[in-house]
Amino acid sequence: MRLAGFYLFALGVALLPILFPDNYFVIVVGASAGLHVILAVGLNLLMGYAGQISLGHAAFFGMGAYASAILTTRFGWPSLLALAAGLLATGALAWLFARPILRLRGHYLAMATLGFGVIVHVILVQATQWTGGPDGLSGIPALNLLGWRVDGDEQWYGVIMAAMLLVVWLTLNLVDSQVGRALRAVHGSEFAAQMMGVDTGRAKTQVFVISALFAAFAGSLFAHQQAFVSPDSFNLTVSVELVTMVVLGGLASTFGAVCGAIALTLLQQGLVVFEDYEMLIHGALLMAVMIFMPQGLFVGLSQAARRVRHRLKRRQPLPST
Amino acid sequence: MTALSSALLPSPLLAVTGLEQSFGGVMALAGVSFQVAEGLIYAVIGPNGAGKTTLFNALCGFYQPSAGSIRFADQELLGLPPHRIAARGIARTFQNLQLFFNMTVVENVMVGCHLRARTHLLAAALRLPWVQRQEQQLREWAIAALELCELADRAGQPAGSLPYGLMKRVEIARALAAKPRLLLLDEPAAGLNDTETMALRDLIGRIRANGVTVLLVEHHMPLVMGVSDRLLVLDYGSVLAEGAPADIQADPRVVAAYLGGAVNYAV
Ligand SMILES: Nc1ncnc2c1ncn2[C@@H]1O[C@H](COP(=O)(O)OP(=O)(O)OP(=O)(O)O)[C@@H](O)[C@H]1O
Ligand SMILES: [Mg+2]
């Protein structure tokens, strides 16, 4: 069945808090992992499927978060409306930037997206009258979903997991459709894709906007969940973390990105003691994966499993041909 | 041509006039003109570096020729981007394989059907019922193209896992899946063994029987002479000769410049 993996995943997500009731680790770390999954799955659409690198993805995450934070605290907008406005603004900006940025390739694209991330971070720090500067914005009201105020760790786990499952489901559908094949074709051979009638500029723009929207969505949820935002949550380190998640899990595999995001979230929890060395550890991890398992942990392991299964099958007597 | 005869003759499917393309100092195409009538298999031959691939790249909008015109089905193609030219009914294969190695064989060919159906992004993400029906339709079209190329049994395999000869045939299937009026084949026999070349010859015959006009760049002379209706000989970016296979084989300039007598072992 096409979505068998997805249903299994959804079941696991739903069962976790039932199997481990009142467990801080499952509920809080789980919610954090859920946000990371949304970010990584979106970035993987761009990097893994369309083959376009982005080293500034935290910028879109931050724009969603700050849109919600500013509109609710300074203008008193209802949280859902602020979320929608954040999505709209981020999507529009991504759309504007997509054409000129995605015309670049390889290192140039990496540098341009890196620059974009840095600029957005600088703005978050400097535009003090709007963003609160380095101290950030606090007192962000609870997310209000048509009258239901999301409050408490359990409720947040539910909301974030539901959002995450929605994003994963949309992504799985998209990848396995004409739109998704066109994206993968751009990665496989841009020239051939054009000759099959794919408007590659448009395809790249679309995927850039979608992955920015996913990131902004995660950002809005994050702002309400934490009730506080500061520029540190959206700096270059975070962008590198996101890339690490995607590469760790395996490019061009949605569940690879899911696994990468979860694995890195768990790792971060385990490494809290080494906070100062976080960047170092991410770098080492990225290098190790690239050298020893360039297709990523999830993809690499599932390929290995397939090989083992294949070999076991071979052991059985071959049918006469 | 008199007004009367031009009114009686159907206008050619493809009419190229004075096409020029240079790279730095190299004139890769130095004013190439020729016409291809619908339904023909039209071969373009010439020594290495003659400009054959450059001609294909110019025809499909990958290069912007500095002069000339390309009329296809009575409409100008010059200046259009590749995906718009594809939409006019031109598909191609590549001298250097341009398969989508990140996909299965059937998915590769389904990309070939890209222009035959439009899926809206949002509808695809929500997988609305009509998107599912459309997916089924695309898959059927792709399988039909694979069957024509005798590749249907390979549909589910990763494209990169096939032997080289079959990968080249997947490219042909992918191009055919677009239902083109004109198919450009750039050295389809390169790297094939004799059996595969014979199969390719049959395949080109079936493609023509399906009403597709074929522009064929190929060095394999027995194949070219056996299958083409007309030939264009390029040398240093210029047309050296144009005509029926028998006339080309007899043309002393062609023999001297390119074939070195090799043309005579044609089948
Ligand atoms: N992108 C390019 N940049 C610079 N020079 C090019 C480019 N493409 C082709 N050329 C030059 O143009 C000339 C024609 O090349 P082309 O590839 O069209 O030859 P060809 O007839 O296809 O040869 P072959 O039989 O080897 O495939 C050659 O001199 C080649 O070096
Ligand atoms: Mg060539």
Side-chain angles (χ1 to χ4, degrees):
Chain A
M1 201 171 47
R2 200 177 65 89
L3 289 175
F6 174 76
Y7 293 128
L8 215 66
F9 179 51
L11 191 70
V13 164
L15 282 181
L16 263 184
I18 299 171
L19 293 177
F20 302 94
D22 297 323
N23 185 319
Y24 163 86
F25 194 79
V26 166
I27 297 299
V28 174
V29 177
S32 162
L35 288 176
H36 284 155
V37 167
I38 297 178
L39 288 161
V41 163
L43 182 59
N44 186 44
L45 270 179
L46 181 68
M47 279 183 61
Y49 287 106
Q52 312 294 312
I53 194 158
S54 168
L55 292 180
H57 219 57
F60 297 121
F61 183 38
M63 283 161 63
Y66 270 89
S68 277
I70 294 173
L71 291 174
T72 51
T73 58
R74 305 208 169 213
F75 298 93
W77 284 31
S79 51
L80 263 192
L81 198 63
L83 185 147
L87 288 180
L88 207 68
T90 310
L93 195 82
W95 184 77
L96 274 180
F97 279 151
R99 287 261 169 182
I101 276 194
L102 294 175
R103 202 169 294 157
L104 306 171
R105 272 161 231 267
H107 305 314
Y108 300 100
L109 180 62
M111 292 310 293
T113 51
L114 184 81
F116 175 71
V118 170
I119 290 170
V120 170
H121 183 251
V122 167
I123 293 174
L124 294 183
V125 173
Q126 297 294 330
T128 319
Q129 70 278 29
W130 293 101
T131 64
D135 298 335
L137 283 172
S138 54
I140 300 167
L143 184 64
N144 190 325
L145 294 175
L146 311 170
W148 171 41
R149 290 183 72 247
V150 183
D151 193 18
D153 292 337
E154 275 86 7
Q155 292 190 6
W156 268 113
Y157 179 88
V159 168
I160 289 180
M161 288 306 170
M164 174 195 77
L165 289 173
L166 174 70
V167 163
V168 171
W169 180 72
L170 290 174
T171 304
L172 288 172
N173 285 342
L174 202 62
V175 165
D176 188 24
S177 75
Q178 201 188 11
V179 180
R181 279 189 303 273
L183 276 185
R184 287 182 281 158
V186 169
H187 191 185
S189 163
E190 191 162 347
F191 185 21
Q194 287 172 345
M195 271 325 293
M196 303 316 0
V198 177
D199 184 343
T200 56
R202 190 180 133 97
K204 287 196 270 185
T205 303
Q206 282 182 340
V207 71
F208 194 68
V209 171
I210 294 170
S211 81
L213 286 176
F214 284 179
F217 183 41
S220 285
L221 294 177
F222 178 73
H224 285 291
Q225 184 213 19
Q226 302 286 319
F228 166 76
V229 289
S230 81
D232 281 352
S233 308
F234 316 105
N235 59 16
L236 176 61
T237 313
V238 176
S239 289
V240 173
E241 271 171 28
L242 295 176
V243 172
T244 312
M245 288 172 192
V246 172
V247 175
L248 184 69
L251 291 164
S253 157
T254 300
F255 281 112
V258 170
C259 292
I262 295 173
L264 210 67
T265 312
L266 292 177
L267 190 74
Q268 279 170 351
Q269 292 301 317
L271 294 177
V272 194
V273 259
F274 302 113
E275 204 175 349
D276 293 342
Y277 303 102
E278 210 180 347
M279 195 72 165
L280 198 71
I281 292 166
H282 284 149
L285 200 62
L286 205 53
M287 275 169 60
V289 170
M290 276 319 198
I291 293 169
F292 297 112
M293 219 180 235
Q295 67 279 63
L297 282 180
F298 177 78
V299 178
L301 289 178
S302 56
Q303 277 172 355
R306 212 172 305 144
R307 267 199 303 276
V308 169
R309 223 177 319 155
H310 198 69
R311 214 167 292 157
L312 288 179
K313 235 188 267 169
R314 279 241 194 101
R315 290 255 176 81
Q316 291 159 5
L318 288 168
S320 54
T321 41
Chain B
M1 199 179 281
T2 66
L4 183 65
S5 63
S6 67
L8 287 174
L9 281 174
S11 65
L13 181 63
L14 178 72
V16 174
T17 5
L19 205 60
E20 283 180 23
Q21 172 77 44
S22 58
F23 300 106
V26 184
M27 269 303 237
L29 296 176
V32 170
S33 306
F34 65 98
Q35 301 194 338
V36 181
E38 183 140 32
L40 294 193
I41 294 179
Y42 192 99
V44 179
I45 63 171
N48 292 113
K52 306 180 293 294
T53 299
T54 305
L55 173 67
F56 272 20
N57 286 342
L59 286 180
C60 68
F62 189 63
Y63 294 148
Q64 303 301 323
S66 50
S69 107
I70 304 166
R71 290 190 75 76
F72 177 72
D74 285 324
Q75 285 182 312
E76 184 60 48
L77 294 187
L78 215 63
L80 292 182
H83 69 272
R84 302 278 301 280
I85 290 180
R88 295 285 172 86
I90 297 183
R92 71 172 286 183
T93 67
F94 301 86
Q95 185 172 355
N96 306 314
L97 274 183
Q98 298 282 331
L99 272 191
F100 308 128
F101 287 109
N102 49 350
M103 292 188 228
T104 63
V105 168
V106 71
E107 284 175 330
N108 264 272
V109 181
M110 284 166 87
V111 176
C113 306
H114 188 79
L115 289 164
R116 294 168 70 185
R118 268 262 158 268
T119 309
H120 191 268
L121 181 84
L122 205 59
L126 296 170
R127 208 165 182 89
L128 299 178
W130 61 265
V131 175
Q132 290 175 35
R133 281 196 299 276
Q134 199 178 51
E135 277 289 292
Q136 196 53 41
Q137 174 71 78
L138 286 170
R139 191 166 289 270
E140 278 165 22
W141 282 334
I143 296 288
L146 283 171
E147 273 166 359
L148 186 66
C149 299
E150 294 170 332
L151 280 169
D153 52 329
R154 305 285 188 154
Q157 294 186 14
S161 71
L162 299 191
Y164 184 73
L166 293 190
M167 290 203 245
K168 295 206 77 156
R169 226 174 322 143
V170 174
E171 275 207 344
I172 299 180
R174 182 178 68 184
L176 285 174
K179 281 247 171 263
R181 275 179 89 177
L182 177 66
L183 175 64
L184 315 182
L185 299 174
D186 197 348
E187 305 206 11
L192 300 195
N193 62 33
D194 287 347
T195 332
E196 289 171 328
T197 309
M198 289 311 291
L200 173 66
R201 186 180 159 164
D202 294 343
L203 175 58
I204 294 176
R206 287 200 297 277
I207 293 171
R208 189 230 303 259
N210 273 300
V212 181
T213 309
V214 178
L215 207 55
L216 170 72
V217 163
E218 188 47 67
H219 285 296
H220 193 286
M221 277 312 128
L223 176 69
V224 169
M225 295 302 171
V227 82
S228 343
D229 301 300
R230 281 187 87 79
L231 270 82
L232 179 77
V233 187
L234 287 184
D235 193 18
Y236 292 111
S238 304
V239 176
L240 195 66
E242 205 265 357
D247 302 334
I248 296 295
Q249 277 168 297
D251 192 320
R253 282 173 309 162
V254 177
V255 176
Y258 170 40
L259 299 163
V263 72
N264 292 321
Y265 68 73
V267 288

